Amino acid sequence: MSLNKFAEDYAASGISRLHMPGHKGCKIHGLEPLDLTEIKGADSLFESEGVIAQGERRTAEIFGARTTCWSAEGSSLCIKAALGLAARHFGRRMTVAAPRNCHRAFISACVLLDIDVKWIFPESGSARLCECGAAPEAVEKALAGGGVDAVYITSPDYLGGISDIGGISRVCKKHGALLICDNAHGAYLKFVGEGMHPLDLGADIVCESAHKTLPVYTGGAYLHIAKNAPADFDELAKPAMVLFGSTSPSYLIMGSLDRCTDLLEGDLPEMLRACCERTARTKKLLAERGISDISREAMKITIDAVKIGYTGVQLAEMMRRSKMECEYADAEVVVLMLSPYNPERDFERIERFFSGLELREPLAIPCPPEPLRPEKVMSLRQAELSRAERIDVEKAEGRVCARSAMSCQPSVAAVMGGEKISAEAIKILKRYSILQIDVL
Ligand SMILES: Cc1ncc(COP(=O)(O)O)c(C=O)c1O
């Protein structure tokens, strides 16, 4: 029996619910009849052996993982669990090499697990502030000196940048380092072409938000263990999830993960491929108008607004007035995320909007996008757990950052905890409207 069948039968049974949650299955918000807790027959997420385990096995099979754990708390939980399981595997304080474009969940994991991070900085100035993926050569350099246990790569990134996971994985194998991939934005990649998903490109652990690109309730995510990962990873995965997860996972979210597998076994892969083709037509139309899309992802469009004379925020506001709400906008870009569940109307709105848009002279970017290489004074954990004070960013030059100042691209930090704040960093922080910062 599947998780959803169990929930439906339970809802229809008329049984007295003498257990959590307090809504008792009454339709107050709408979906309560199917919202269960870990009662007999409903299995238990972190000790799964029944309907949840069966759902997880189906997910693993369709993604080609050796083991998959469901998460009802997003990739944020999967990322912390991935690092937690790696830490237990090594049984000592880990050193992880990572580019700076990591999500805040990675920073939290480093603080909680006292991971030493060897940052991989971009070689040269990038077109965008804080855009900083890593090429295999940069990973090779980071690993050449030894002492790195794992490499942590975010790909695709928030703006649709994609790293060479295959190349990076070969470098990791050569140096005996694990490869952990934040594929939060790329669950759909498994279904739209050969060799695009990190599991097929040599990653050992992959964290991905089913909810970002697949039809799953917000919070539904997967922690995948690759077939070639070290043998103890499977048994270490659930205990690592326990370390960080809630003891009350949402059955509505898990039910949607299970339903998504049904869809992926049906015609959803075909629908995903059709969406990529439809998005490609829109991308082509934008290109013909000279509108630059910097996304390398097939279901994401990232407009370089500055190049056509607008800020990203201005464009997003104009699109809002034309009945379109974007995923993200900042001073430079607007990010549009598409899926098979966007009707044709939505693609037509995008095309009509950009066909009619007055193209202007590029805006001058006031802050030079030079890569920052802040001086590290102490570990992320030491800094986070030290006494700190909040001061104006203007006055922060030379002080040590207590905790990563976020939101320079959602959740990508310009300065990490334990690093000295330079005049250049202050410029970037101000550019992203971060006007106060916690310093030691
Ligand atoms: C690159 C990246 N990684 C991880 C996450 C966290 O994912 P979730 O919201 O599923 O916890 C996000 C969220 O936006 C993200 O953009």
Side-chain angles (χ1 to χ4, degrees), residues 310-326:
Y310 299 85
T311 68
V313 175
Q314 278 172 337
L315 272 193
E317 185 49 42
M318 291 161 74
M319 291 182 77
R320 196 168 290 124
R321 288 199 292 272
S322 300
K323 294 195 88 158
M324 288 171 281
E325 187 61 39
C326 304

Side-chain angles (χ1 to χ4, degrees), residues 73-77 79 103 154 156 158 182 184-185 209 211-212 221:
E73 296 170 74
S75 286
S76 299
L77 171 58
I79 289 166
H103 185 263
T154 304
Y158 203 82
D182 172 351
H185 289 254
S209 307
H211 69 91
K212 290 196 198 302

